[in-house]
Amino acid sequence: MRFRILGPLEVRAPRGTAGDLTPRAAKIRVVLATLLVRANEIVSVDSLIDELWGENPPRTATTTLQVYVSQLRKLLHEADTEFGRDALVTRPPGYELRIDPAQLDLTVFEELHGRSRELMEQQNHRTASDLQRQALGLWRGPLLSDTPHGPLLDATAVRLAEVRTAALEQCIRAELHLGRHRELIGELQSVVAELPLREEFHAHLMVALYRSGRQADALQVFGRLRRGLVDELAIEPGRSLQALHQRILVGDPALLTPAVRAGHTMASGPAAGAGRTTGPGPAQGAGPAPAPVSAAPAPVSAAPRPHVPSGGSAMAQLPSPDELFTGREEELASLRDVLGAPGGRLVIVTGAAGVGKTALTLAVAHRTRDLFDVPVFVRLRPDGHGQPDAVGVLAGVLRQYGVRGALPERIDELREMLVELTDGRRVLLVLDGVVDAEQVRPVLSALPDCTVLVTCRRVPDGLAGRVVCLDVPGVREARRLFVTAAGQSADATESAECAGVVEACGRLPLALRAAAKALAGRSRLPLGGLAARLRDERTRLAELEAASPGFRARLCDALDGVGAAELRAFRLFGLLPAGPFTPDAAAAVLDTDVAAARATTDALVRARLLCVELPSAGRPERHHVPELLRLLARERLDAEEGPEVVRAALARLCAVFAKAVEEAGPSGPAAVDGVHPLEWFRLRLPALIAVARQAHAARLWAECLHLVDRMTGFLEVLGAWEERDTCQGLALEAAQQLGDLTAQARLLRSLGDLAWQRRRLDTAGELYERALMAADVAGAEIERCRALTGLAGLRLDAGATDAAAALVPPALDSAPQDARTGFEAHRVLGLLALESGERDAAQGHFATCLTYATSLADARLESYARRRLGEFRSGGTAHPGWSEVQPGVWRMRTAA
């Protein structure tokens, strides 16, 4: 079957079957369209609901969506009875439509457009033009013009409209090089009427008219454009278009005939559409766009020798600086100092994919132009595909320097040309995206006095120079970058929503740009809505990819060149929660010893897939996976490793975390990693909860229960109510799955205590009753007595002193076997005695509480007992009218 979305939605059955199977219902078309624009990717349920109903979905949205998906499966099965139903699969957290790229006109268009761009860079204009015409022929109108658009389809439609315009511009440029100017005039007149502010099309029309002998008409095109720009925007046309106007005005003969040799065009001179940026600069961390080929041709060259510009730098120019570049002042100052030193030198800027290396080098190249005669910028991966060898690098330098035509294929001849061109000149050469020392060595040997500025993810072996390691920007810089890119006010940098987005993006500039596009592309989505969308780790990468197609591929660039063993370790590290991890945790997920784990983490640090946090006083060396790489690692882990491998690694990780919490407990050291155990636990709590959630999701019931049990004491001391509720809720379900009634009684009683503290008295009573029932069935006497003391405290709180007193004696029977039960029983008896005005009896009960607390070595309970006893010595409480009924829990005191 075939799907067409470049225009109205169409579903075509294979030949020999019923033809048009396009769904008529608008909502079904929306679901299918959303899955098609994200074909072979998971589209979350939340994204589909947003696309269908926006910010106000009905209460039954999830169920209704399931109905739509079921109907789509029937349609696909009708179209292809063999494979159709299996094409739409459920994959948490949503659905994935699996189709051959050749079945969808969008993917065919993008493939043709991409191949044509590569051919344009190789100056194969004839084939490039043919491919672009094929691509443009697939368009039947605006994207999904008969289908309602939500935020994702809106953003995709805007992006693809720009891509189609770029394809049309490149096609026309290629055909001008081929001398088809007369045939293009009508098409160009239609295009400039449709896009009246796009200067590149006006430039092409001016050249086509001039070559056709219509000089006056070409000048009128410029005049109309200029009046429109001045009237509407109060700006003049760009410098390049003004220069083209002057050339036509004086009748420059070099514009008349395109230079064609062996099917390839040689162009020189400034680009007709360049000179002033008409949109945002390249993404921070991404390379600049390749220098555009001019619509204006060069004179015919009969000889096959390359054209060498006079003065040696006719084309040697830098791409425009990144308009959104901000901060990095320390790195800029350091690089300027290094580049300004006398003599040739090699400077290497290294860092993770998307961290902003290219934007930084462009900024420093522009700010040091006064130090050099010739700045040359060469991007070694213009489309993110392939890597040039030494010959290709030298040829690229010469091309950027202004040399046109066929170049020698021998490296020594290329080197001689470069030496001749740069003789006596101060040259700054920027090589962006180096992966191999052999790409740089020929340039260094040819230009020993040249300053070479290299960007790379990791320093290639054998390449020695001054190294600048670029990390993600600081928090304030990252917020500024996001707010600027999103077009938000400066005040937004201080908002909690902005902080949430920046944290979710791991402060990575590439991700911050994508998040800004997500906000700009959804006019109805507030900043808080974006922060909420990015909060979900399961769909965060998909959200960023939807806003900025190609984002995921750029992130995956970080894995290029990494060995198989290191890649597997990287995938397993996707199990680790956000934040730093210890060598013990690394060894656990890798199922190895600490020494071997350290060797692996060192290798991943060198590959820029891990960051190291150097040890400090009392704290061992730790590492962390950059936030978005961690999510990528988890995706790869789920896709490339079997579920049993994942469960086994997660079980080992749970054991390490539980052991660490246990060792930091009441009988543990006075300090853990240089801080108090309570502070250590507070800092590690998000990671502990994340691991408990993972264990629960993986149905590792025993491991989840064991970990939460070890955490409970800390959670009670910290008063972390929400976290305790979450963790013990997970553990309770685990205990139920295991059929462990004693654990169920323990957790129900603890959750009852929490509900009582939060003044949810009905809930507390229900939980205590359930705990008592579970303990009775399990024969767990201690848990039964603890549930009774809980109920007694609840009755006392309600003023039912007789009912409370009747529940306590059974608990006292267990006191010799369980000090905590004894503490709770005497605490309730002490409170009952105070209610009855029996102060001496109350003092005796609280003294017994102190004895039990001391035997437990529980500082929190001991402090409570001492405070209560202190009231008898001082004759009153520090808070008149209030009584501390549990450690840290107070209620109004009733009159004796």
Side-chain angles (χ1 to χ4, degrees):
M1 68 189 124
R2 294 287 185 270
F3 301 93
R4 303 173 72 188
I5 62 176
L6 301 179
L9 175 65
E10 287 186 6
V11 181
R12 292 284 178 179
R15 291 180 182 177
T17 59
D20 187 5
L21 294 174
T22 309
R24 295 182 180 181
K27 294 293 188 185
I28 303 235
R29 289 206 308 274
V30 170
V31 176
L32 176 58
T34 306
L35 293 167
L36 284 170
V37 299
R38 298 267 295 281
N40 300 309
E41 296 180 23
I42 299 173
V43 182
S44 70
V45 168
D46 288 344
S47 294
L48 288 167
I49 289 174
D50 285 349
E51 206 67 24
L52 286 163
W53 295 287
E55 296 298 315
N56 299 298
R59 184 171 51 83
T60 59
T62 301
T63 304
T64 305
L65 174 61
Q66 291 170 351
V67 173
Y68 294 157
V69 169
S70 176
Q71 292 175 343
L72 264 183
R73 287 196 172 111
K74 291 179 183 177
L75 182 149
L76 295 171
H77 178 67
E78 182 181 350
D80 186 341
T81 55
E82 186 174 0
F83 301 111
R85 186 178 293 274
D86 295 333
L88 180 52
V89 297
T90 302
R91 287 193 62 192
Y95 302 95
E96 179 181 357
L97 182 59
R98 297 175 175 174
I99 60 173
D100 185 334
Q103 293 178 270
L104 178 63
D105 58 355
L106 170 59
T107 52
V108 175
F109 166 79
E110 290 180 324
E111 171 66 19
L112 291 169
H113 176 52
R115 285 165 53 198
S116 176
R117 288 177 59 191
E118 293 174 358
L119 290 167
M120 281 290 287
E121 290 177 4
Q122 299 167 17
Q123 301 189 33
N124 186 348
H125 301 108
R126 190 176 305 280
T127 309
S129 168
D130 292 344
L131 292 179
Q132 290 289 19
R133 284 296 176 190
Q134 290 179 45
L136 292 167
L138 296 171
W139 281 80
R140 298 168 294 113
L143 178 79
L144 296 161
S145 55
D146 64 342
T147 302
H149 286 198
L152 189 148
L153 293 181
D154 264 344
T156 305
V158 171
R159 176 181 73 85
L160 288 176
E162 283 297 318
V163 175
R164 177 182 177 273
T165 301
L168 180 60
E169 191 277 329
Q170 290 176 24
C171 180
I172 290 171
R173 181 149 46 97
E175 293 180 351
L176 281 173
H177 276 285
L178 296 171
R180 300 172 183 169
H181 40 273
R182 293 184 186 277
E183 297 94 322
L184 287 170
I185 290 174
E187 181 179 11
L188 279 167
Q189 287 174 331
S190 175
V191 172
V192 298
E194 180 186 351
L195 304 169
L197 301 181
R198 297 294 290 256
E199 294 187 18
E200 64 269 35
F201 290 110
H202 288 80
H204 294 327
L205 178 57
M206 290 165 65
V207 170
L209 289 167
Y210 180 69
R211 288 181 184 171
S212 302
R214 299 168 60 179
Q215 181 182 18
D217 289 340
L219 294 173
Q220 283 185 347
V221 171
F222 178 84
R224 285 194 297 270
L225 172 64
R226 181 181 179 277
R227 285 192 297 274
L229 290 174
V230 171
D231 292 346
E232 293 189 31
L233 303 175
I235 61 172
E236 293 285 341
R239 290 192 299 273
S240 294
L241 198 64
Q242 293 183 39
L244 178 62
H245 174 253
Q246 288 297 317
R247 294 178 69 183
I248 293 174
L249 197 62
V250 300
D252 186 348
L255 286 175
L256 287 174
T257 308
V260 181
R261 183 179 60 79
H264 297 275
T265 302
M266 295 171 290
S268 66
R276 186 184 71 213
T277 55
T278 58
Q284 190 167 349
V293 181
S294 174
V300 175
S301 174
R305 293 181 56 79
H307 168 73
V308 180
S310 61
S313 61
M315 284 284 287
Q317 53 184 319
L318 294 172
S320 300
D322 186 346
E323 295 178 352
L324 300 179
F325 180 81
T326 184
R328 304 290 197 188
E329 296 302 327
E330 183 177 342
E331 292 90 344
L332 285 169
S334 174
L335 284 170
R336 181 178 174 87
D337 290 344
V338 173
L339 297 179
R345 61 183 60 244
L346 173 64
V347 183
I348 304 168
V349 178
T350 181
V355 79
K357 302 181 293 294
T358 301
L360 175 66
T361 53
L362 265 178
V364 77
H366 277 278
R367 296 189 190 192
T368 58
R369 293 191 75 142
D370 57 314
L371 304 177
F372 301 98
D373 299 317
V374 183
V376 181
F377 187 101
V378 181
R379 187 181 182 194
L380 301 190
R381 302 179 72 185
D383 284 311
H385 302 293
Q387 273 287 341
D389 56 11
V391 170
V393 172
L394 285 172
V397 174
L398 288 167
R399 292 290 187 203
Q400 288 298 315
Y401 208 87
V403 178
R404 290 293 177 262
L407 289 171
E409 296 182 359
R410 292 179 50 183
I411 193 168
D412 54 342
E413 294 179 1
L414 291 169
R415 192 183 291 120
E416 288 175 8
M417 286 186 67
L418 191 56
V419 170
E420 180 182 350
L421 277 173
T422 59
D423 184 34
R425 295 180 178 86
R426 298 171 300 168
V427 178
L428 171 63
L429 176 59
V430 182
L431 298 179
D432 184 46
V434 168
V435 298
D436 190 339
E438 293 305 318
Q439 295 176 310
V440 183
R441 287 198 182 105
V443 178
L444 294 176
S445 62
L447 305 174
D449 296 326
C450 169
T451 297
V452 180
L453 184 57
V454 163
T455 72
C456 52
R457 285 199 301 276
R458 40 193 173 269
V459 180
D461 293 338
L463 202 60
R466 171 71 179 272
V467 178
V468 176
C469 294
L470 194 62
D471 199 356
V472 293
V475 173
R476 295 196 65 81
E477 282 187 15
R479 291 187 183 186
R480 245 188 348 260
L481 171 61
F482 167 69
V483 166
T484 303
Q488 299 281 303
S489 68
D491 294 341
T493 58
E494 303 302 323
S495 67
E497 292 83 0
C498 177
V501 171
V502 169
E503 181 181 357
C505 292
R507 307 205 309 267
L508 184 71
L510 177 69
L512 293 171
R513 303 281 184 118
K517 288 182 180 179
L519 195 62
R522 292 169 170 159
S523 57
R524 293 171 294 171
L525 182 66
L527 181 55
L530 175 62
R533 286 176 180 271
L534 296 181
R535 195 174 298 129
D536 189 343
E537 291 186 355
R538 298 169 299 172
T539 58
R540 189 180 304 163
L541 294 184
E543 288 284 348
L544 294 172
E545 174 69 19
S548 182
F551 166 81
R552 193 189 300 269
R554 284 291 319 283
L555 199 63
C556 289
D557 284 348
L559 309 183
D560 290 351
V562 180
E566 287 77 16
L567 278 179
R568 184 172 188 274
F570 170 72
R571 292 194 297 269
L572 285 168
F573 282 164
L575 286 172
L576 295 167
F581 62 87
T582 62
D584 287 341
V589 295
L590 298 179
D591 196 16
T592 186
D593 56 42
V594 170
R598 281 201 173 100
T600 301
T601 54
D602 288 346
L604 291 174
V605 168
R606 290 192 295 273
R608 295 286 185 267
L609 296 178
L610 280 187
C611 297
V612 62
E613 298 182 5
L614 297 178
S616 60
R619 194 189 74 189
E621 179 183 279
R622 300 186 300 179
H623 296 82
H624 75 268
V625 186
E627 179 61 7
L628 298 179
L629 287 178
R630 182 178 66 84
L631 302 184
L632 179 65
R634 185 56 197 257
E635 277 191 0
R636 292 295 184 91
L637 180 67
D638 292 338
E640 300 178 33
E641 299 285 350
E644 290 309 312
V645 171
V646 176
R647 293 182 83 252
L650 187 54
R652 295 190 298 270
L653 185 63
C654 283
V656 166
F657 272 55
K659 180 181 177 184
V661 175
E662 187 174 14
E663 290 177 347
S667 59
V672 183
D673 292 352
V675 297
H676 188 277
L678 277 178
E679 178 64 11
W680 173 87
F681 181 84
R682 187 185 64 79
L683 293 172
R684 298 299 294 153
L685 183 53
L688 289 163
I689 294 175
V691 172
R693 286 185 186 277
Q694 287 191 79
H696 180 274
R699 304 178 68 84
L700 292 169
W701 307 123
E703 289 80 0
C704 176
L705 178 59
H706 181 65
L707 176 58
V708 174
D709 273 345
R710 298 301 174 273
M711 295 167 59
T712 296
F714 278 113
L715 291 168
E716 290 176 350
V717 173
L718 286 174
W721 288 357
E722 295 296 337
E723 293 84 353
R724 178 177 165 189
D725 196 14
T726 296
C727 292
Q728 293 191 323
L730 296 173
L732 178 59
E733 184 176 348
Q736 290 166 344
Q737 293 288 340
L738 292 168
D740 188 339
L741 288 170
T742 301
Q744 290 178 49
R746 180 173 67 251
L747 289 160
L748 287 166
R749 187 263 313 157
S750 181
L751 287 168
D753 291 344
L754 178 60
W756 182 84
Q757 291 172 21
R758 300 168 85 172
R759 310 310 293 156
R760 298 172 182 173
L761 303 183
D762 290 342
T763 301
E766 178 187 345
L767 289 166
Y768 285 141
E769 293 286 358
R770 290 174 60 193
L772 185 59
M773 185 182 302
D776 281 340
V777 174
E781 185 62 25
I782 290 176
E783 289 304 329
R784 180 178 183 278
C785 293
R786 289 184 178 180
L788 287 171
T789 58
L791 284 169
L794 195 61
R795 301 291 184 268
L796 176 61
D797 192 46
T801 54
D802 291 342
L807 292 169
V808 176
L812 289 174
D813 295 338
S814 298
Q817 290 80 37
D818 182 58
R820 188 170 293 272
T821 303
F823 176 92
E824 291 297 326
H826 284 280
R827 176 185 65 80
V828 173
L829 289 173
L831 295 171
L832 281 168
L834 285 176
E835 290 288 332
S836 304
E838 301 172 8
R839 291 179 59 83
D840 290 343
Q843 185 173 1
H845 288 304
F846 287 127
T848 304
C849 284
L850 179 59
T851 301
Y852 283 126
T854 303
S855 69
L856 288 167
D858 190 319
R860 183 174 68 103
L861 300 184
E862 188 176 342
S863 295
Y864 170 78
R866 292 187 185 281
R867 284 193 299 274
R868 297 304 322 226
L869 290 171
E871 295 175 12
F872 295 101
R873 292 192 296 271
S874 63
T877 175
H879 304 282
W882 291 84
S883 175
E884 187 178 9
V885 292
Q886 280 193 5
V889 180
W890 298 74
R891 69 174 175 84
M892 290 287 292
R893 170 176 277 152
T894 57

